Amino acid sequence: MTQTSTTMEPLSARIPSDLYLWLAQLKVEGANTNSDKLRVLLGQLKRQHDGAFDFVTALAWCRDLAARPRAALAQLEADTGRHSEVLSQALEHLSHAMALLISADLSSLDQAAQLEDKLLRRSFAHTESLLRQATTPQAAAFDPAVVLRHLGATLQLAQAIHRLQQDPPKGV
């Protein structure tokens, strides 16, 4: 775990006025002044940089990036009393997949194969969670028909694969 320094160091920079105005208007949770915003944003940049070398750090950073939609989803669920497992799982899946990509080292064929395996395992786990939603007449989603509406082609492919495994073509 990284330690946070309690010593503050001054930082001075000249930036274009359009960036200054953007920063002044930017909403950053837990930061009101431009100095506070810079501290938070530099901390996020550091997590991004560190995440390029470590999956857990990359996952935390990706979850930070998705904090706004996660918070909006939580608020929507609180306001409406409805919950979407489908959307929650999609957000988590995307954070994990991005963290795998960001932290991957692809300097060898073995490492590329490992990333491929991890991404496919994650993707099929997400697919399985969506298929579980299709086992009931209505998915746990804001649109209860959303899973069944998009399932057709996937089912056809799965059935074709199943038939091929049961009766493989001769001479291939």
Side-chain angles (χ1 to χ4, degrees):
M1 185 171 228
T2 59
Q3 289 186 347
T4 304
S5 175
T6 56
T7 304
M8 297 295 216
E9 301 293 337
L11 176 65
S12 176
R14 297 188 64 74
I15 60 173
S17 60
D18 62 328
L19 285 179
Y20 177 83
L21 291 172
W22 172 80
L23 181 64
Q25 295 174 357
L26 183 67
K27 303 278 188 245
V28 178
E29 187 175 334
N32 296 321
T33 67
N34 286 345
S35 287
D36 292 340
K37 292 174 187 180
L38 282 175
R39 275 191 288 279
V40 170
L41 294 172
L42 283 173
Q44 289 175 356
L45 184 59
K46 182 181 183 312
R47 279 196 307 283
Q48 175 186 348
H49 178 268
D50 293 346
F53 307 104
D54 175 65
F55 170 76
V56 174
T57 306
L59 181 58
W61 177 59
C62 288
R63 284 178 173 156
D64 284 351
L65 289 176
R68 191 177 51 82
R70 283 180 196 277
L73 178 60
Q75 187 64 55
L76 183 62
E77 289 180 349
D79 292 347
T80 64
R82 295 182 60 196
H83 172 69
S84 175
E85 269 184 56
V86 171
L87 195 49
S88 294
Q89 290 171 351
L91 281 168
E92 190 62 16
H93 165 70
L94 291 169
S95 294
H96 273 260
M98 283 303 300
L100 285 169
L101 286 170
I102 290 166
S103 63
D105 178 5
L106 297 177
S107 56
S108 75
L109 204 51
D110 285 343
Q111 290 167 328
Q114 287 175 12
L115 174 61
E116 182 178 69
D117 183 73
K118 290 174 183 177
L119 284 172
L120 270 281
R121 183 177 42 213
R122 166 56 56 189
S123 294
F124 277 105
H126 185 233
T127 301
E128 288 173 21
S129 72
L130 292 172
L131 290 173
R132 274 189 214 90
Q133 292 293 326
T135 62
T136 62
Q138 295 187 330
F142 294 126
D143 175 359
V146 68
V147 174
L148 291 176
R149 187 169 54 250
H150 294 285
L151 188 62
T154 302
L155 281 180
Q156 289 174 353
L157 289 169
Q159 289 166 347
I161 291 168
H162 182 70
R163 283 192 299 273
L164 284 172
Q165 289 179 340
Q166 297 301 314
D167 188 25
K170 307 289 189 250
V172 177

